[in-house]
């Protein structure tokens, strides 16, 4: 089932503060409220807190023709495998829930409450210099 979604606030400002984007879902038929009720039966009072959200982006020239009004991509040849680096966020809290909209605030992995930076294991696949020593 398709439902209208809006995502805002992904811009990095460079002032030391990480972005805290919001994800807003239409709730006109109570669909999102129903999902939250089912989730809270399994994990009480979670409201999807901690759920992983992956932002995938690409350039318009790589989109399929069905994404354009004339069913022709005027910018280039579609390539479903072309994408910019993925951004991973986690739902921090539910901001608003009413009969029209359900809105969540998201945070990056370094901004999670109770998680410190050394939590991530760095391997050679992430950083080729791991485990090597240079004698000066």
């Amino acid at each position: 089932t398709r439902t209208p979604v809006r995502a805002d606030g992904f811009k990095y400002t460079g002032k030391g503060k990480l972005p805290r984007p919001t994800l807003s879902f239409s709730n006109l038929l109570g669909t999102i409220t129903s999902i939250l009720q089912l989730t809270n039966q399994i994990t009480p009072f979670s409201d999807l807190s901690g759920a992983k959200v992956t932002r995938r982006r690409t350039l318009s020239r790589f989109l399929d023709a069905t994404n354009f009004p004339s069913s022709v991509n005027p910018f280039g040849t579609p390539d479903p495998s072309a994408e910019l680096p993925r951004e991973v966020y986690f739902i921090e809290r539910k901001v608003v829930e009413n009969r029209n909209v359900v809105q969540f605030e998201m945070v990056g992995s370094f901004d999670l409450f109770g998680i410190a930076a050394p939590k991530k294991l760095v391997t050679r696949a992430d950083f080729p210099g791991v485990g090597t020593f240079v004698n000066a």
Side-chain angles (χ1 to χ4, degrees):
T1 304
R2 295 179 182 154
T3 191
V5 177
R6 181 180 177 160
D8 298 12
F10 290 98
K11 186 176 180 180
Y12 287 90
T13 61
K15 295 185 180 186
K17 201 169 187 186
L18 295 174
R20 294 178 79 87
T22 58
L23 195 58
S24 304
F25 293 91
S26 171
N27 196 31
L28 289 178
L29 300 175
T31 306
I32 306 301
T33 297
S34 298
I35 291 171
L36 290 176
Q37 287 174 345
L38 290 172
T39 302
N40 288 336
Q41 287 177 358
I42 299 167
T43 54
F45 308 110
S46 72
D47 286 333
L48 296 179
S49 293
K52 181 179 176 181
V53 177
T54 304
R55 182 183 185 207
R56 298 178 67 185
R57 299 178 300 150
T58 190
L59 301 175
S60 59
R61 68 177 178 223
F62 299 126
L63 292 175
D64 292 336
T66 56
N67 292 292
F68 297 93
S70 61
S71 293
V72 175
N73 185 340
F75 303 111
T77 306
D79 182 3
S81 64
E83 67 179 46
L84 297 169
R86 295 179 183 184
E87 297 174 14
V88 177
Y89 294 92
F90 295 90
I91 293 179
E92 171 84 343
R93 65 188 181 101
K94 179 177 63 176
V95 179
V96 174
E97 180 179 7
N98 58 40
R99 60 189 297 190
N100 296 322
V101 68
V102 176
Q103 185 179 58
F104 299 99
E105 182 180 51
M106 300 184 296
V107 294
S109 57
F110 283 114
D111 206 12
L112 283 173
F113 178 73
I115 303 293
K119 181 85 170 174
K120 181 173 178 8
L121 177 65
V122 178
T123 63
R124 281 190 180 215
D126 299 322
F127 184 70
V130 168
T132 59
F133 298 96
V134 177
N135 293 330

